[in-house]
Amino acid sequence: QSVFSVEKPEAKADLPKSDSAKLVLARTHFVLEHEDLLPAYHVFYSNSECIAVWAKTGRWSTLQAAVYLISSGVGLTKSSVMLTISVAAAHAVLIPALAVGGLAVVSAPLLFLKKSKEKWEKTTLTLNDEFWSRAEPEVFVEAIQYWAQLTGENDNVD
């Protein structure tokens, strides 16, 4: 697609779509009534963005933390490579030590992201189990109707 094109770019399917307003409100009321079920605050695992994303989508995660950790890994890779090249030019004997150190520095944010994703998934399952076990029948009806529209399953229903 050209930069001069007037066509709208295709929407990315990477980000989860928001659920219906009624379902979002039901999750919001659930969070307000059951704050004790929320994990303790953590900048990467459990913050206000996580609560908002869960209320909108049913998935516990934070895009800000994910972007930060990925960009940190990329930035540290660049710095490690430049440092290794600079030192290698002067002291070739230090290359193995710098390579090991650089690998540790570069992989740390990515390992932290992996750990964060595991915690997000666990929290998603826990909160969704609790939410649906306490949900009113109207919430189930709303969810079924809304999700059926998204998948097109109700197209053949008379």
Side-chain angles (χ1 to χ4, degrees):
Q1 180 174 350
S2 168
V3 291
F4 300 109
S5 174
V6 292
E7 298 173 18
K8 286 187 177 180
E10 292 182 25
K12 300 227 179 210
D14 297 347
L15 298 175
K17 297 196 182 304
S18 176
D19 285 325
S20 71
K22 290 180 183 177
L23 189 51
V24 171
L25 285 173
R27 284 193 193 112
T28 303
H29 288 287
F30 174 81
V31 166
L32 293 173
E33 293 171 2
H34 304 286
E35 291 180 34
D36 57 311
L37 296 175
L38 297 176
Y41 176 83
H42 187 278
V43 70
F44 293 124
Y45 306 143
S46 179
N47 57 45
S48 58
E49 184 189 7
C50 295
I51 296 169
V53 170
W54 182 78
K56 292 277 287 181
T57 66
R59 301 244 354 127
W60 188 268
S61 65
T62 169
L63 184 61
Q64 292 173 350
V67 168
Y68 172 75
L69 290 170
I70 290 170
S71 62
S72 293
V74 171
L76 290 171
T77 300
K78 179 182 167 189
S79 299
S80 295
V81 168
M82 294 308 295
L83 178 65
T84 302
I85 291 171
S86 301
V87 172
H91 305 285
V93 177
L94 296 176
I95 292 175
L98 287 173
V100 170
L103 184 60
V105 168
V106 168
S107 63
L110 300 178
L111 289 173
F112 206 84
L113 178 62
K114 182 178 185 271
K115 183 179 177 184
S116 295
K117 286 183 177 182
E118 291 168 358
K119 289 192 177 217
W120 296 337
E121 186 61 31
K122 182 179 176 187
T123 303
T124 296
L125 293 173
T126 302
L127 282 179
N128 284 337
D129 286 348
E130 291 292 332
F131 173 74
W132 289 112
S133 71
R134 301 168 195 225
E136 298 293 326
E138 299 84 34
V139 177
F140 283 95
V141 172
E142 173 63 25
I144 292 168
Q145 289 175 338
Y146 181 75
W147 292 333
Q149 290 174 354
L150 291 179
T151 60
E153 290 177 14
N154 66 347
D155 292 343
N156 298 329
V157 177
D158 291 331

